[in-house]
Amino acid sequence: MIVRDLKEARNSERHVFSEGWDSVRLLLKGDQMGFSFHITTIHEGAELQMHYKNHLESVYCISGEGSIEDCATGETHAIRPGVMYALDKHDKHVLRGKTEMVMACCFNPPVTGKEVHGPDGAYALEVDEVA
Ligand code: 9YT
């Protein structure tokens, strides 16, 4: 069994920071669960273009308000607590934080912890790396 406390993970290398967001990786590939699990904070006013070409992701909004734009259709969906979105088609999207938003996220395949967002907003697939 794996038990982790978000407060403790926040003060460890599991907590990564980037422009407009930060994220605590509670589960990574190295935990061998078949998915990774993150508590991500989108900062107020952030506008993030993302495209996970190699990963499927589902995201549940715990707190805050914002929106997600589906770049394929131009549709924008409101995000508020209780709303989930799943990028089941590796959907290119723009996430906008009207306020700070706290999101619980799962990735399949799991994030290793060593990815960086490429210029296209994707994470490369690092098959051999274990976080
Ligand atoms: C909301 C969202 O896209 N979260 C992604 C997780 C974050 N980019 C991470 O932990 O790398």
Side-chain angles (χ1 to χ4, degrees):
M1 189 183 293
I2 300 167
V3 178
R4 290 193 180 121
D5 184 324
L6 179 62
K7 273 190 197 149
E8 286 168 18
R10 270 191 211 290
N11 297 317
S12 76
E13 61 187 15
R14 294 183 173 281
H15 197 175
V16 299
F17 298 84
S18 188
E19 181 140 5
W21 61 272
D22 64 87
S23 189
V24 182
R25 280 83 176 262
L26 286 174
L27 290 171
L28 285 166
K29 182 180 177 185
D31 294 307
Q32 298 187 297
M33 290 291 291
F35 57 87
S36 57
F37 182 62
H38 314 221
I39 301 295
T40 300
T41 302
I42 307 298
H43 302 168
E44 181 178 337
E47 178 170 315
L48 306 170
Q49 178 154 325
M50 291 186 278
H51 192 190
Y52 296 112
K53 294 178 184 168
N54 303 305
H55 299 80
L56 298 171
E57 185 195 21
S58 66
V59 178
Y60 174 81
C61 179
I62 297 170
S63 66
E65 304 275 339
S67 65
I68 182 168
E69 180 182 340
D70 180 340
C71 296
T73 64
E75 234 180 319
T76 296
H77 306 272
I79 295 182
R80 56 183 178 276
V83 172
M84 184 279 307
Y85 63 85
L87 304 171
D88 62 327
K89 297 182 181 67
H90 303 279
D91 310 88
K92 188 173 174 182
H93 61 286
V94 182
L95 193 55
R96 294 185 174 92
K98 191 171 162 188
T99 67
E100 177 181 281
M101 297 192 287
V102 178
M103 327 282 263
C105 320
C106 278
F107 280 85
N108 169 22
V111 165
T112 67
K114 293 182 177 155
E115 294 85 352
V116 286
H117 278 277
D120 55 359
Y123 280 151
L125 198 56
E126 293 170 283
V127 180
D128 297 326
E129 285 193 71
V130 177

